[in-house]
């Protein structure tokens, strides 16, 4: 939208405040608005108080999700669901020490089955110790049994040394990607002298449905079938994860994860187009969500990783960041009498000119870190002060991607929300679609995205809640490059910690030999 249009709209919004007081339109003497006030009133009542619509239209930052590097230990722990490629510490499902005394160590064995993700079978899983592959240092003392989460699982995870209390052949974890960790403690050995190291798993996690690979979908090619999870494939594409999670994950015809929307309740054509955009922009995702939990909040977090927001309506669709083409032009002839509102600019409190993106950094043990702030100097000058926002992109693991998405968030905070009431022939346009608004009486010549549609069943007239779309922003946002913060010096490895701890211990049997050689004075 040009500054000239904004200025005109702002003038109209201010002038209508006089009309509302009863002074009358022609009280604005000498203005160009006076001559057309009657026709403007019959087409639209322009008001400046639409900040509530703007607040609803623009997403607010999500809460930052917790660490993925700390194992979750709690009664009735929730079900984890891991998307993309990355590291997760998992959820402990059982923990027991057992075994006959070995070299004066009672209960020398420990077995810990850890679940990493539901929605299996996943693509791959690999045990990690201190974020690295298990080294030869642990030969003879650490063993793992892994499963991808087949449905059903053929066998339960098996401890290296039999007899683990509370765990048997019936302790199957169908549909769960998991690792059974077995440890042996030996007083004569140096391994685990400093305690257990951090344990976790690195994987390519859940598989997803791709409508582009389903030849029953318009334009699709391939054998993917919605609901038949044996046809799903691994991907780290945010759009495909959003669509799959919205539909839900099923085992034996029972939904075990996800929202559970019907197949025709999701706009798969938009999912396909959005997935293509994610691939073109190199936007991927990695993250862990939990259920039970707020499924709508989970879906929004997935969408944020792909520069999108879910749009609820008769059919779930998605508003995603990409250049759009207007499907139609709305003129005054398409409007009906009613309240059609627009604002000259977003309220000052809602505009931002600086965004600090947070993302999950593989270089920082998969913790959330800050990328460099994204600052638009033009916006900063217009506002006269820094308007800062911190946005955690919980499912993003790349600094540049988080920076690009932050730039989009900054622009979206300045797009204009408005409402128009249209004649029945406009009702076939749906949320997420784009229209060009050309209303000369109001000085409007803008492109906008439909956020919400309401149809009056009595008159079949349709009300659109819309948000302006500035196509020029895409080149700016995608031209951003992220700078990862410096990596702190790495701490000691588990092997080094064990060696230091072992060196400080008395040799095995030292206390016993000292006592036997001592002279007892009475």
């Amino acid at each position: 939208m040009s500054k000239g249009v904004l200025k005109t709209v702002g003038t109209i919004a201010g002038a209508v405040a006089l009309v509302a007081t009863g002074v009358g339109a022609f009280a604005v003497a000498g203005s160009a608005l006076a001559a057309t006030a009657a026709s403007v009133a019959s087409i639209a009542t322009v008001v400046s108080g639409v900040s509530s619509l703007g607040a609803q239209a623009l997403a607010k930052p999500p809460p930052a999700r917790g660490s993925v590097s700390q194992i979750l230990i709690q009664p009735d722990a929730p079900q984890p669901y891991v998307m993309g490629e990355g590291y997760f510490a998992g959820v402990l499902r059982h923990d027991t020490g057992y075994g006959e005394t070995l070299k004066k160590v009672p209960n020398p064995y420990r077995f810990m089955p850890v679940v990493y993700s539901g929605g299996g079978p996943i693509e791959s899983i690999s045990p990690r110790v201190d974020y690295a592959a298990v080294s030869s240092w642990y030969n003879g003392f650490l063993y793992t049994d892994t499963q991808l989460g087949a449905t059903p699982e053929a066998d339960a995870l098996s401890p290296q040394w039999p007899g683990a209390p509370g765990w048997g052949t019936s302790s199957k974890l169908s549909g769960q990607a998991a690792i059974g960790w077995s440890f042996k403690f030996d007083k004569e050995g140096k391994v685990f002298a400093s305690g257990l190291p951090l344990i976790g798993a690195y994987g390519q996690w859940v598989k997803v449905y791709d409508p582009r690979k389903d030849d029953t979908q318009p334009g699709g090619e391939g054998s993917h079938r919605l609901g038949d999870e044996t046809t799903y494939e691994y991907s780290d594409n945010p759009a495909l994860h959003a669509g799959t999670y919205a539909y839900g994950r099923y085992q034996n015809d029972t939904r075990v994860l996800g929202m559970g929307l019907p197949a025709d309740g999701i706009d798969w054509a938009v999912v396909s187009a959005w997935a293509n955009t994610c691939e073109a922009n190199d936007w991927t995702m990695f993250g862990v969500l939990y259920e039970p939990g707020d499924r709508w909040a989970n879906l929004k977090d997935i969408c944020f990783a792909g520069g999108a927001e879910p749009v609820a309506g008769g059919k779930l669709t998605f508003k995603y960041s990409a250049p759009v083409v207007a499907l139609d032009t709305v003129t005054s002839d398409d409007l009906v009498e009613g309240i059609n509102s627009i604002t000259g600019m977003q309220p000052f409190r809602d505009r931002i000119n600086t965004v600090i993106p947070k993302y999950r950094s593989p270089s920082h043990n998969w913790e959330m870190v800050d990328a460099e702030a994204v600052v638009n100097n033009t916006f900063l000058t217009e506002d006269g002060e820094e308007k800062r926002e911190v946005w955690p992109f919980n499912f993003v693991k790349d600094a540049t991607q988080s920076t690009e998405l932050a730039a989009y968030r900054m622009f979206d905070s300045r797009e204009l929300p408005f409402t128009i009431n249209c004649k029945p022939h406009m009702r076939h346009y749906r949320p997420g679609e784009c229209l060009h608004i050309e209303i000369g009486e109001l000085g409007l010549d803008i492109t906008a995205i439909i956020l919400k549609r309401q149809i009056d069943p009595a008159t079949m007239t349709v009300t659109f809640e819309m948000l302006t779309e500035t196509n020029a922003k895409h080149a700016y946002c995608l031209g951003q490059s992220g700078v990862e913060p410096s990596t702190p010096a790495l701490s000691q490895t588990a092997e080094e910690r064990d060696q230091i701890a072992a060196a400080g211990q008395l040799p095995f049997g030292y206390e016993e030999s000292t006592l036997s050689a001592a002279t007892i004075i009475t």
Side-chain angles (χ1 to χ4, degrees):
M1 179 185 295
S2 68
K3 292 185 177 180
V5 172
L6 287 175
K7 182 177 180 181
T8 302
V9 174
T11 302
I12 295 173
V16 171
L18 293 178
V19 179
T21 65
V23 174
F26 291 95
V28 191
S31 72
L33 178 63
T36 59
S39 60
V40 169
S42 66
I43 296 172
T45 301
V46 185
V47 295
S48 58
V50 294
S51 58
S52 61
L53 173 61
Q56 296 172 4
L58 300 175
K60 299 303 179 183
R65 292 182 181 258
S67 172
V68 299
S69 61
Q70 299 297 319
I71 192 168
L72 182 61
I73 305 173
Q74 67 181 57
D76 300 321
Q79 172 68 64
Y81 180 76
V82 192
M83 301 157 288
E85 180 176 349
Y87 174 92
F88 179 43
V91 176
L92 182 65
R93 293 303 188 193
H94 190 68
D95 190 6
T96 184
Y98 64 102
E100 297 293 332
T101 299
L102 177 66
K103 295 182 180 180
K104 299 187 178 182
V105 177
N107 299 323
Y109 309 127
R110 185 174 181 180
F111 182 59
M112 300 171 61
V114 179
V115 166
Y116 294 91
S117 180
I122 64 163
E123 181 72 9
S124 66
I125 188 171
S126 176
R128 290 289 188 268
V129 172
D130 279 357
Y131 308 102
V134 181
S135 74
S136 59
W137 173 255
Y138 296 104
N139 287 351
F141 294 89
L142 187 158
Y143 297 85
T144 59
D145 184 22
T146 64
Q147 66 178 46
L148 298 178
T151 54
E153 277 290 349
D155 302 295
L157 291 172
S158 178
Q160 176 67 20
W161 299 277
W167 194 264
T169 57
S170 63
S171 304
K172 296 180 181 179
L173 297 168
S174 293
Q176 313 285 304
I179 298 177
W181 296 85
S182 294
F183 305 94
K184 182 178 75 172
F185 295 87
D186 184 351
K187 191 173 182 180
E188 291 185 1
K190 298 179 181 179
V191 179
F192 307 130
S194 62
L196 286 184
L198 290 173
I199 59 174
Y202 186 92
Q204 290 183 322
W205 301 97
V206 297
K207 302 177 183 180
V208 293
Y209 168 71
D210 189 341
R212 301 171 301 174
K213 296 182 178 180
D214 183 347
D215 55 25
T216 68
Q217 293 279 3
E221 296 181 3
S223 60
H224 275 225
R225 294 294 183 268
L226 184 62
D228 182 357
E229 299 213 2
T230 62
T231 67
Y232 292 8
E233 295 178 337
Y234 167 77
S235 175
D236 56 7
N237 190 307
L240 302 181
H241 281 284
T244 303
Y245 184 77
Y247 177 74
R249 308 307 303 250
Y250 290 82
Q251 294 178 10
N252 300 322
D253 298 324
T254 300
R255 179 167 57 88
V256 294
L257 286 159
M259 301 181 70
L261 297 183
D264 58 0
I266 302 169
D267 194 334
W268 295 108
V270 170
V271 172
S272 295
W274 174 25
N276 290 335
T277 295
C278 289
E279 290 177 358
N281 294 340
D282 290 326
W283 287 348
T284 62
M285 70 169 298
F286 163 73
V288 183
L289 58 81
Y290 295 92
E291 288 194 11
D294 187 334
R295 293 188 178 93
W296 184 250
N298 286 340
L299 179 63
K300 289 173 66 176
D301 249 356
I302 296 171
C303 291
F304 291 153
E309 297 173 31
V311 180
K315 177 180 287 191
L316 176 68
T317 189
F318 303 92
K319 173 186 175 293
Y320 60 95
S321 299
V324 292
V325 177
L327 301 180
D328 202 348
T329 298
V330 179
T331 68
S332 57
D333 293 335
D334 299 307
L335 301 181
V336 296
E337 291 186 3
I339 298 178
N340 300 280
S341 60
I342 193 166
T343 182
M345 61 176 59
Q346 283 282 3
F348 182 74
R349 68 177 181 274
D350 293 334
R351 299 198 305 270
I352 54 177
N353 52 51
T354 302
V355 181
I356 299 177
K358 300 178 75 72
Y359 70 103
R360 196 167 295 282
S361 171
S363 301
H364 297 80
N365 293 338
W366 302 93
E367 296 298 337
M368 295 292 288
V369 300
D370 293 347
E372 284 193 351
V374 181
V375 183
N376 186 296
N377 290 321
T378 300
F379 295 163
L380 183 62
T381 301
E382 290 175 355
D383 295 337
E385 64 180 65
E386 184 182 73
K387 303 292 296 300
R388 174 180 294 201
E389 181 178 76
V390 177
W391 193 290
F393 293 99
N394 292 305
F395 294 160
V396 172
K397 63 176 184 178
D398 178 76
T400 293
Q401 181 178 341
S402 71
T403 302
E404 292 171 346
L405 295 172
Y408 271 115
R409 289 295 160 192
M410 180 166 54
F411 264 93
D412 286 347
S413 78
R414 308 178 88 88
E415 297 283 12
L416 306 180
F418 64 95
T419 300
I420 57 175
N421 294 275
C422 296
K423 294 176 181 177
H425 68 276
M426 301 294 293
R427 67 184 182 276
H428 57 276
Y429 293 113
R430 300 178 300 170
E433 294 181 334
C434 178
L435 297 173
H436 188 77
I437 314 299
E438 188 174 315
I439 304 175
E441 295 90 338
L442 300 181
L444 295 180
D445 187 5
I446 57 176
T447 299
I449 303 293
I450 300 171
L451 299 179
K452 186 176 181 181
R453 179 189 67 174
Q454 291 181 319
I455 298 176
D456 185 335
T459 63
M460 296 305 292
T461 58
V462 58
T463 299
F464 292 127
E465 293 181 7
M466 308 188 74
L467 190 70
T468 59
E469 172 70 12
T470 305
N471 275 327
K473 68 186 177 185
H474 300 289
Y476 171 84
C477 295
L478 295 176
Q480 301 292 319
S481 60
V483 179
E484 189 172 68
S486 59
T487 303
L490 297 177
S491 60
Q492 296 166 335
T493 65
E495 179 178 347
E496 290 169 339
R497 292 196 301 270
D498 284 347
Q499 290 172 339
I500 292 173
Q505 294 176 350
L506 294 174
F508 177 69
Y510 177 81
E511 303 97 323
E512 194 173 341
S513 61
T514 301
L515 286 173
S516 64
T519 302
I520 301 177
I521 301 175
T522 59

